[in-house]
Amino acid sequence: MSIRPLIAGNWKMNGLKGESSEVIRELLAKVSTVANPGCDILICPPALVVNELAALCEGTSISIGGQDCHPNVSGAHTGDISAEMLKDAGASYCIVGHSERRTDHGESNETVKAKAEAAIRAGLIAIVCVGETLEEREGGKTLNVISEQVKNSLPEGATAENTVIAYEPVWAIGTGKTPTPQDVAEVHAHMRAELSALMTDANGVRLLYGGSVKGSNAPELMGLENVDGGLVGGASLTAEDFWPIIETGI
Ligand code: PEP
């Protein structure tokens, strides 16, 4: 099955309205020079600018997504945002279970699963993040950790259309370090095998790699078997840095 890659940018807590719009305008100018992009392109900005950026991107090849959502539709959850609100603001994807959420907010696999189910309920595509810590890698536990996270974070009713899995080794995020291509390929093959036991269309699920992806390493990482795109943090913050990564999918 041929899989359409997804190149996604996670802006985390970066960008005010003006500069965010400017980056999107620059990316749109570059994308407009490509007749039929061969990949899906996504930016997940801070929630406050989803509405504005989604309006800028309407009818273009760039989609906008959220970085997190609450499992519930609405209610007494001060400071939280529901998947329905993201959808209403124009988002079409939502990242869930990023390691910064798992660490900073103590999110368990069960919480991540509930959030992914909320994203799907709202009509968003859930990007479920998994990844081992350095200690787990050095202890030879990587594949076990990934199995546990995939199995227990995967939303009920997951399909290749509504769910994307992002492998992001925690020790590679924002550090400039990446696993070897062999290590990435091993984990991705393992995730594909795990998913095959859990869903019927596992061969069509997009498996992203994330962790210190940049223009210089993207061609090799994005070219690996079972790597169907990337989730990019720091290098997605400017059009100049992000475009060469997008080009690996175009
Ligand atoms: C991320 O936060 O999802 C990420 C992969 O960050 P970076 O590319 O900066 O390592």
Side-chain angles (χ1 to χ4, degrees):
M1 188 186 293
S2 107
I3 299 183
R4 185 172 167 85
L6 170 64
I7 307 290
N10 171 17
W11 283 1
K12 311 190 186 190
M13 198 170 71
N14 292 293
L16 302 179
K17 273 195 298 188
E19 64 213 33
S20 299
S21 304
E22 190 47 39
V23 175
I24 292 293
R25 282 201 187 87
E26 287 169 20
L27 285 173
L28 286 172
K30 290 178 185 295
V31 164
S32 70
T33 64
V34 182
N36 281 311
C39 66
D40 292 334
I41 304 165
L42 170 68
I43 295 287
C44 298
L48 279 175
V49 293
V50 163
N51 197 30
E52 184 164 335
L53 300 193
L56 275 179
C57 292
E58 204 176 335
T60 74
S61 302
I62 299 182
S63 300
I64 298 296
Q67 299 176 7
D68 178 50
C69 64
H70 192 279
N72 292 4
V73 178
S74 61
H77 305 288
T78 302
D80 279 317
I81 290 171
S82 72
E84 281 73 9
M85 290 170 180
L86 287 168
K87 176 79 177 171
D88 189 46
S92 39
Y93 289 76
C94 186
I95 298 171
V96 295
H98 189 282
S99 71
E100 287 151 17
R101 302 267 343 153
R102 289 181 187 258
T103 306
D104 298 355
H105 300 268
E107 293 189 2
S108 64
N109 287 325
E110 291 64 36
T111 306
V112 174
K113 177 179 169 158
K115 290 183 171 199
E117 287 169 355
I120 294 169
R121 178 192 67 219
L124 302 172
I125 297 172
I127 302 179
V128 180
C129 300
V130 299
E132 82 285 2
T133 62
L134 187 58
E135 198 184 348
E136 288 162 343
R137 174 156 285 271
E138 289 177 345
K141 295 181 185 153
T142 299
L143 297 184
N144 285 343
V145 169
I146 298 303
S147 293
E148 278 302 297
Q149 291 182 338
V150 167
K151 223 181 313 164
N152 296 320
S153 308
L154 195 73
E156 202 64 49
T159 67
E161 275 72 46
N162 65 25
T163 303
V164 173
I165 309 288
Y167 169 53
E168 299 207 304
V170 177
W171 53 273
I173 295 177
T175 60
K177 295 182 191 151
T178 55
T180 65
Q182 292 76 9
D183 287 341
V184 174
E186 182 188 35
V187 172
H188 278 239
H190 183 74
M191 291 196 297
R192 185 80 69 202
E194 283 289 328
L195 289 172
S196 300
L198 301 168
M199 49 199 293
T200 53
D201 57 356
N203 282 344
V205 175
R206 291 184 285 188
L207 304 180
L208 312 186
Y209 168 75
S212 296
V213 174
K214 43 187 190 278
S216 55
N217 60 21
E220 183 169 36
L221 290 166
M222 298 301 115
L224 294 169
E225 196 169 356
N226 286 310
V227 174
D228 312 304
L231 181 53
V232 184
S236 70
L237 291 174
T238 66
E240 190 189 355
D241 287 339
F242 198 30
W243 185 248
I245 302 172
I246 294 172
E247 278 187 312
T248 65
I250 274 184

